[in-house]
Amino acid sequence: MPELPEVEIAARLIGGAIAGARVESALAPGINALRSYDPPLAALEGRTIAGIGRRGKLFLVGLDDGLTILIHLMSAGRLQLFDTRASLRDRSSRLLLTLDDGRQLRLREFGTRQRAWAKLLAADALDSEETLAELGPEAWPEPPPLGDLLDQPRPLYALLRDQHVIAGIGRSWVDEILHAAMLSPFKRGSDLEADEAQRLRAATIARLSDAIAHYERELELPIPDKLPMPLMVHRRNGEPCPRCGDRLEAVFYEDYVMCYCPTCQTEGKLLKDRRLSRLLK
Ligand SMILES: [Zn+2]
C-alpha cells in the first residue's frame, strides 16, 4: 500500500534517473487505467521528461510543453522503471512509457482489481484537476497546525486517512503516527487538546521523515515489488510494543487491520473488533 513515503522515494529515485530522457512511445494496456482522452497518449511521443513530483499519494510526471501525467496508484499500484521492454505476458502493466534509450516506465498493479489510474493533462487542465484541488494540505514535510485542521467530531483514525483533510497518510502510516503520538485511533479530532495536537503533528513529521530516510538508505533502482516498510506497529499485533513492551492489539475490518498499543494509546482499553461486531448484529 503505497503512501506518502513510498511515493516520495519512488518519485525521487525514478525521477532522478529519467529526467532528460525522451519518450519514444506510450501505451495504456489497462482497460480503465487511462482516465483522460485529450491530449491523446500519442502526444507523449518525442517529449522530454523533466522529472517526477508528488502531491499526497499521487505522482506528477512532468514533461516539456507543460504536459503532466498524473498517476494514482490506489491500493495496489506501483510505478517502476525497467531496463528492458515489458514482455507481453506482463499482465500487471496499466501504462507503459518506453524511453528512447530502451528503458521503460511502467504503472503496474498487483491483484485482481484494476483501480490504479493515470491522466495525461495539459497545463491548464492540471490547474483545474479536481483530484488535486480536493486534496488537503501535505502531511509532510510541514503540515499546518493540526488542532484546527482536525477539529471535526470524527475519529483520528478516519480523519488522518481522509485525503481531503490531510494528504499522504493511509492505513499503514496512520497506525505508526497515532502510536508515536500516544493517541487513541478513536479519539475524536474535536476532542484534541492543544498539546495533543502538537504531539500528533510532531509524530506525523517524525514518522514520515524516518520512513523516507530509511528508504533513502535501503532502496535503489529498480524499486522492488514489495517495499521494506519500516513499520513498528502496523500488522505487528501480538508482538511487544516497541515503547512499553506490552502486547500490540488489532481491530480487524473486512479487508484491513488497525493496530495499536492499549497501554500507550487507549488507557489499557481493548477496542472492539469491528468485523466481529458486524457479524453479530
Ligand atoms: Zn505500548
Side-chain angles (χ1 to χ4, degrees):
M1 300 236 174
E3 299 175 25
L4 190 153
E6 292 74 38
V7 174
E8 174 72 20
I9 194 68
R12 284 186 194 180
L13 290 178
I14 300 174
I18 63 174
R22 272 161 49 98
V23 178
E24 182 185 282
S25 63
L27 272 176
I31 307 168
N32 302 312
L34 189 66
R35 300 258 172 102
S36 65
Y37 56 92
D38 182 32
L41 266 192
L44 287 171
E45 288 168 20
R47 304 276 179 192
T48 302
I49 296 175
I52 304 182
R54 177 192 62 77
R55 176 76 172 94
K57 302 186 218 171
L58 286 89
F59 291 102
L60 294 107
V61 182
L63 299 112
D64 55 4
D65 273 354
L67 279 180
T68 300
I69 310 171
L70 181 65
I71 296 175
H72 198 319
L73 300 176
M74 300 301 290
S75 59
R78 297 280 185 280
L79 188 67
Q80 292 172 310
L81 180 66
F82 292 88
D83 282 334
T84 52
R85 293 177 188 230
S87 79
L88 292 172
R89 301 178 58 135
D90 180 13
R91 298 222 174 115
S92 61
S93 286
R94 304 284 178 259
L95 182 73
L96 295 171
L97 245 59
T98 303
L99 309 179
D100 64 359
D101 56 16
R103 291 182 297 169
Q104 213 165 41
L105 182 65
R106 296 184 210 172
L107 165 58
R108 301 174 75 210
E109 191 170 27
F110 302 100
T112 48
R113 287 189 283 187
Q114 294 203 19
R115 295 173 63 216
W117 57 260
K119 287 184 182 181
L120 176 59
L121 302 167
D124 54 341
L126 182 69
D127 289 340
S128 57
E129 170 58 32
E130 254 176 52
T131 318
L132 294 175
E134 289 172 353
L135 288 178
E138 288 287 315
W140 180 90
E142 280 291 329
L146 297 185
D148 288 341
L149 196 71
L150 305 181
D151 188 11
Q152 297 182 36
R154 296 163 61 198
L156 293 175
Y157 185 67
L159 279 171
L160 289 172
R161 289 181 302 124
D162 183 341
Q163 303 304 300
H164 299 160
V165 174
I166 183 166
I169 302 167
R171 290 166 187 167
S172 301
W173 290 105
V174 70
D175 284 356
E176 303 295 317
I177 289 166
L178 287 171
H179 177 266
M182 301 179 81
L183 289 168
S184 167
F186 290 151
K187 187 180 185 82
R188 291 176 190 282
S190 43
D191 291 341
L192 273 181
E193 305 287 345
D195 63 321
E196 292 175 327
Q198 274 178 16
R199 215 160 71 213
L200 181 57
R201 183 175 181 277
T204 302
I205 297 170
R207 291 303 284 126
L208 298 178
S209 295
D210 287 353
I212 293 165
H214 167 87
Y215 291 139
E216 282 281 7
R217 286 191 303 272
E218 301 292 324
L219 288 181
E220 55 184 40
L221 294 174
I223 296 174
D225 292 351
K226 196 159 170 44
L227 288 176
M229 292 178 77
L231 301 169
M232 299 192 292
V233 180
H234 185 66
R235 291 197 177 277
R236 292 193 178 267
N237 40 308
E239 296 182 25
C241 166
R243 183 189 293 109
C244 73
D246 288 348
R247 190 184 136 97
L248 294 173
E249 297 291 343
V251 178
F252 292 93
Y253 293 83
E254 217 155 295
D255 56 355
Y256 62 103
V257 57
M258 179 188 84
C259 298
Y260 67 101
C261 172
T263 307
C264 294
Q265 293 174 260
T266 60
E267 296 169 333
K269 265 183 282 189
L270 288 181
L271 302 176
K272 268 215 191 92
D273 188 323
R274 297 289 152 133
R275 183 182 53 179
L276 204 60
S277 33
R278 184 159 47 231
L279 288 176
L280 294 174
K281 257 182 205 165

